[in-house]
Amino acid sequence: MRLPCLLCLLTQLMPAQPTAAQNPAQNPAQSPAQSPAQSRADTPNPFGHTLEELALAIEKALNAWELDEAQLLMVQVEALNLHGLALLHYLQGRMAFQQGLYAQAVDAFALAGQEDKPNSFLRLANAAKHFLKTAQPFESEHFVLFVPQGKQSALAAYILYTLEAQYEAMSLELAFAPPKKLRVEWASSAPEWAALSGLPLEKALSPHTAGFCGFGKMVVLSPSAVQGGFAWQNSLAHAYVHCATAQKTRNQTPPWLQKALAAYLENHWKSPHPPALPQADWAALQQYLGASNTLVLEKKPGPTANTSPTAQLALAEGFLLAEYLKAQLGPQAFSQLLSILSQQGNAEHAIAQLSRMPWPQWKQRFRKAVLARRFPISPQPQAEKKTSPQRLHALRLAKLYASHQHHEAAVYHYAKAQALPGGELPHVAQSHAQSLLALSRFEEAERVLAHAVDERAPATLWLTLGKLRLHQSQWAKAQQAFERTLAQHPFLPEVHLGLYAAASAQNNATLAKRAQQAAATLLETSTETVDDMARAFSTPTPP
């Protein structure tokens, strides 16, 4: 995000400096004492710094998330007793904004004479002040979360759980933990996310940029704002990596390295082993690197950088670059790299120092390693079967019977449809399995789902599988299936009813409480009613 630099603000907020004709160096008759604005900015204070030097130091400290340092510097500024100076109000506004005191920030920026326009701190502070009017605070050991009241608050405990898990994982991986509680603001819509972060609205449309990190806080977009949802817990963890790397290096980690580490580490909150990069992403990246000597991450972002295919390439390349760093430099590669970077401020030099190899040479070795990767030849996909009229007729009958609770007839027609040409369709398998569950024919339901459930299966299919596992008293497997649904569609009440039932059966009191409260919020009912509903949800229906 591009905000006005402080040097520009010094020019805008303070009275105009003397012109050449008025400059004391060219006109000896004009003494420094006759230029009030200049004398107030340049006269040393009791601590030995000018106001301009202090202002730049405060801005630098705030950008580096060093709030304590900025506060100490503000003491020196306030010792100058420059009441009414626009620059002083601006600095007070910046301090209040980064402390989350948005009403104070709005007042200070207004006194500083800031215009309410895009990318101004006054616009950001006003948006955040408005947001807090309807936001509900939740707190954990290392985070303070603000979530809009209503159904969004159902996820508060899950959000904090995910962030705390990532905090613990990153404390080990990066050998660093933020010294203060991190502020997290949960946006329920894309316009709200854009207003709170100051970023363009189109960036909220990509799940990979649904988390913003800046101004000492995180702003995260709810999955309910994107059709079909997205892996919101990984987005939370991804954004936290950006925050942790920025803080450890005093905001000297370049964007390409932040993206690389975040892409590689976003899954660490639940597993220390990153998932394998999809073969399709490998193939697309190899095609790009085969035709270019420039890494995708080194390209200057364009206007659609976060929604174009290049964004997916950049994430894939970042993942592989981080993986290569660790393979070449050892298990402590990330923490060592960031430690050097915090001192030197140059990522290329830090990598060269660790690898004992010039950056251009290291980069070419990485590029060659990506290009040299070979995959087994994948079987050719079978030609899509043409759906016959008989199959369509059978599916219509099955759906009709199921809607009237005639599950025996529905199962008959679903089985008939599955035997006819048309290929495997996840939604058909799901409906077929649901009718079998209604008849307590668990083994048959499991066979139907076995052909449809894989890594690409829709979240609702995992929901049906979770219910099957509950009916089979396979509590741990049921929990896993419901968690897969939660990762994509967390606002389905059945997900939390299932998790509550599975957690209660395993004596997992923490998860049970989290799921119970979420279900009560989404269903707008009491926790006692949730107990009864979860019991009914996990009990097989008599055939």
Side-chain angles (χ1 to χ4, degrees):
M1 170 182 179
R2 298 184 62 83
L3 289 166
C5 67
L6 188 57
L7 288 174
C8 300
L9 285 164
L10 284 166
T11 304
Q12 296 170 7
L13 297 176
M14 295 179 63
Q17 297 296 316
T19 63
Q22 299 169 325
N23 194 316
Q26 298 183 31
N27 184 358
Q30 177 77 9
S31 68
Q34 292 173 293
S35 177
Q38 188 178 37
S39 64
R40 296 173 86 181
D42 297 342
T43 301
N45 67 30
F47 298 92
H49 300 288
T50 66
L51 175 59
E52 181 175 315
E53 290 170 341
L54 287 171
L56 290 170
I58 290 170
E59 186 91 333
K60 184 177 180 181
L62 289 173
N63 290 339
W65 296 37
E66 295 289 351
L67 193 57
D68 289 343
E69 181 181 327
Q71 286 175 321
L72 289 174
L73 291 166
M74 274 300 295
V75 171
Q76 299 182 41
V77 171
E78 288 165 354
L80 298 174
N81 295 318
L82 301 175
H83 301 297
L85 186 66
L87 179 58
L88 176 62
H89 291 305
Y90 166 77
L91 293 173
Q92 290 171 335
R94 283 287 280 116
M95 288 290 300
F97 183 77
Q98 203 134 331
Q99 291 172 313
L101 304 173
Y102 297 131
Q104 291 183 29
V106 168
D107 293 342
F109 289 134
L111 288 171
Q114 270 216 338
E115 295 182 33
D116 185 11
K117 59 183 180 181
N119 285 355
S120 71
F121 275 111
L122 180 56
R123 176 71 60 88
L124 287 170
N126 264 317
K129 176 185 173 182
H130 179 74
F131 168 77
L132 280 189
K133 289 180 181 178
T134 57
Q136 188 175 352
F138 298 87
E139 199 161 346
S140 65
E141 186 177 358
H142 301 108
F143 298 89
V144 181
L145 170 67
F146 293 87
V147 182
Q149 295 177 4
K151 78 169 188 176
Q152 298 292 332
S153 66
L155 297 190
Y158 291 103
I159 295 168
L160 291 173
Y161 164 76
T162 304
L163 288 170
E164 288 290 350
Q166 185 71 340
Y167 177 97
E168 183 177 350
M170 291 303 97
S171 296
L172 296 174
E173 187 69 44
L174 305 179
F176 173 79
K180 293 182 178 293
K181 286 191 177 185
L182 181 61
R183 184 184 186 88
V184 182
E185 295 170 356
W186 181 264
S188 59
S189 68
E192 187 175 66
W193 182 91
L196 289 172
S197 66
L199 293 175
L201 181 61
E202 59 267 19
K203 289 198 173 187
L205 304 179
S206 168
H208 305 299
T209 55
F212 164 81
C213 180
F215 314 127
K217 67 178 181 179
M218 288 169 55
V219 181
V220 187
L221 181 66
S222 169
S224 64
V226 177
Q227 187 174 7
F230 58 89
W232 60 277
Q233 288 168 297
N234 277 8
S235 290
L236 274 171
H238 185 108
Y240 177 74
V241 176
H242 279 279
C243 293
T245 53
Q247 280 191 271
K248 178 164 182 173
T249 63
R250 293 180 60 89
N251 213 13
Q252 296 188 90
T253 311
W256 65 266
L257 182 56
Q258 282 195 35
K259 289 179 182 178
L261 296 181
Y264 184 75
L265 296 171
E266 68 177 24
N267 198 59
H268 268 41
W269 67 274
K270 58 183 175 182
S271 171
H273 307 292
L277 191 69
Q279 184 172 334
D281 289 351
W282 265 100
L285 186 58
Q286 284 180 325
Q287 183 178 5
Y288 171 86
L289 293 178
S292 173
N293 286 321
T294 305
L295 299 183
V296 184
L297 292 170
E298 291 181 310
K299 292 184 68 175
K300 186 176 181 180
T304 59
N306 293 284
T307 55
S308 68
T310 305
Q312 186 65 29
L313 280 182
L315 283 168
E317 185 181 79
F319 180 96
L320 295 177
L321 188 141
E323 183 181 69
Y324 188 74
L325 271 171
K326 179 167 276 196
Q328 295 297 310
L329 306 179
Q332 301 303 314
F334 301 153
S335 62
Q336 291 173 353
L337 177 61
L338 294 177
S339 294
I340 296 173
L341 185 55
S342 67
Q343 301 298 322
Q344 295 185 356
N346 187 297
E348 290 87 348
H349 290 171
I351 291 176
Q353 181 176 328
L354 274 178
S355 64
R356 299 180 182 178
M357 183 185 304
W359 164 251
Q361 184 181 348
W362 189 92
K363 184 174 66 173
Q364 284 306 315
R365 283 201 177 186
F366 163 68
R367 179 175 169 274
K368 288 179 181 178
V370 175
L371 291 173
R373 178 71 179 268
R374 293 292 178 265
F375 292 96
I377 298 176
S378 301
Q380 292 295 322
Q382 295 181 351
E384 185 176 346
K385 298 178 182 178
K386 186 177 180 180
T387 300
S388 65
Q390 293 86 351
R391 176 184 168 94
L392 291 173
H393 180 65
L395 288 176
R396 279 195 290 268
L397 285 175
K399 186 176 180 180
L400 177 65
Y401 281 122
S403 68
H404 289 85
Q405 306 300 312
H406 299 316
H407 293 294
E408 283 281 5
V411 165
Y412 170 81
H413 288 287
Y414 276 128
K416 183 178 179 180
Q418 294 284 62
L420 294 169
E424 295 289 343
L425 296 176
H427 71 275
V428 173
Q430 181 180 342
S431 300
H432 190 180
Q434 286 173 341
S435 286
L436 287 167
L437 285 178
L439 299 171
S440 296
R441 290 159 63 173
F442 303 135
E443 291 184 2
E444 291 178 69
E446 190 164 11
R447 284 197 297 271
V448 168
L449 289 175
H451 295 291
V453 174
D454 58 21
E455 292 300 314
R456 297 165 297 175
T460 50
L461 202 60
W462 286 100
L463 180 64
T464 303
L465 181 61
K467 191 171 183 180
L468 170 62
R469 298 305 187 202
L470 282 183
H471 292 175
Q472 295 173 318
S473 299
Q474 296 183 20
W475 313 119
K477 288 185 177 180
Q479 179 183 328
Q480 291 172 4
F482 289 125
E483 285 175 341
R484 290 296 297 265
T485 313
L486 176 74
Q488 198 77 17
H489 292 294
F491 294 105
L492 295 175
E494 296 88 347
V495 175
H496 306 284
L497 291 174
L499 279 172
Y500 176 62
S504 299
Q506 297 175 89
N507 296 316
N508 186 338
T510 303
L511 176 58
K513 182 179 179 181
R514 191 186 310 149
Q516 182 189 45
Q517 188 58 57
T521 301
L522 290 172
L523 294 167
E524 299 182 345
T525 188
S526 66
T527 53
E528 291 78 11
T529 304
V530 169
D531 290 350
D532 298 334
M533 297 178 73
R535 202 160 24 249
F537 183 75
S538 58
T539 302
T541 305

